[in-house]
Amino acid sequence: MNEMPRDHRPAKSVRVLLAEDQGMMRGALALLLGLEADIEVVAQVGRGDEIVDAALNARPDVALLDIELPGRSGLDAAADLREECPDCRVLILTTFGRPGYLRRAMEAGAVGFLVKDGPVEELAEAVRRALRGETVIDPALAAAALSAGPSPLTGREADVLKASVDGATVSDIAGRLHLSESTVRNYLSAAIGKTGTRNRMEAVREARQQGWL
């Protein structure tokens, strides 16, 4: 039997949306996935706030989303896709295999969590498995997430820490989040205590390292 030509695609290829802010990485991933006979990259975006519109236009079967994107995080976009494009399976593809990120990704409706340093063959197979309805998570990362437990921060405590990332003052944070300054101080104090740190910048670093922000 003659081997199928490499550029011949089956009647139904897996349609993939790719969200990655680094242009070179995005182009390389699209090229490598496009070499697979049964996978077609139908949309590429560099911002998180472009994901839903691109998905509504391209109707992908699977969305590969980075976490740290300008405009909107991949985790937030995953939750948006669950509402706007429920038939699209979401795989999170990130540099950071943090247990907190994995837990948040699953809560947002993602069906898989992969790190970028894996071989492209595994990524392609993860796309196929996601389309079949399987969950695709590295076993070691899954075990780490279970042992780490959920984030100790409340939603508001996390919001206040996020607003502190650029060194904003308490007054600035209060204005952004429509809270009183005393409430902001209370949330910051609670977050510092829960992260076991000495000040809010250390709390921000620890929360980000754990994948809680």
Side-chain angles (χ1 to χ4, degrees), residues 133-166:
E134 299 179 31
T135 299
V136 189
I137 302 171
D138 178 81
L141 184 56
L146 288 174
S147 63
S151 169
L153 302 173
T154 66
R156 266 312 195 184
E157 289 163 0
D159 289 341
V160 168
L161 283 185
K162 288 177 187 176
S164 301
V165 169
D166 60 358

Side-chain angles (χ1 to χ4, degrees), residues 169-175 179-188:
T169 66
V170 169
S171 178
D172 292 335
I173 297 169
L179 300 171
S180 69
E181 292 186 19
S182 62
T183 299
V184 169
R185 291 191 182 93
N186 288 338
Y187 283 136
L188 287 172

Side-chain angles (χ1 to χ4, degrees), residues 28-77:
L29 287 171
L31 178 61
L32 291 170
L33 287 173
L35 293 175
E36 299 294 319
D38 59 339
I39 295 176
E40 181 183 5
V41 177
V42 296
Q44 301 179 46
V45 298
R47 296 180 55 88
D49 50 12
E50 297 173 345
I51 290 172
V52 172
D53 285 345
L56 290 172
N57 287 329
R59 292 296 174 182
D61 301 305
V62 176
L64 283 174
L65 311 182
D66 193 4
I67 290 180
E68 297 185 357
L69 294 167
R72 191 160 179 77
S73 80
L75 296 175
D76 290 334

Side-chain angles (χ1 to χ4, degrees), residues 61-159:
D61 301 305
V62 176
L64 283 174
L65 311 182
D66 193 4
I67 290 180
E68 297 185 357
L69 294 167
R72 191 160 179 77
S73 80
L75 296 175
D76 290 334
D80 295 339
L81 286 176
R82 181 172 55 183
E83 298 296 323
E84 299 290 339
C85 304
D87 293 332
C88 179
R89 312 276 183 174
V90 174
L91 290 174
I92 297 297
L93 182 63
T94 182
T95 304
F96 307 106
R98 296 169 179 167
Y101 279 166
L102 171 57
R103 185 177 291 273
R104 289 170 59 199
M106 297 300 103
E107 290 172 351
V111 300
F113 192 98
L114 307 166
V115 290
K116 292 178 182 176
D117 59 1
V120 70
E121 293 82 7
E122 289 186 7
L123 177 58
E125 185 57 26
V127 168
R128 299 181 186 106
R129 289 177 61 190
L131 187 64
R132 295 197 296 264
E134 299 179 31
T135 299
V136 189
I137 302 171
D138 178 81
L141 184 56
L146 288 174
S147 63
S151 169
L153 302 173
T154 66
R156 266 312 195 184
E157 289 163 0
D159 289 341

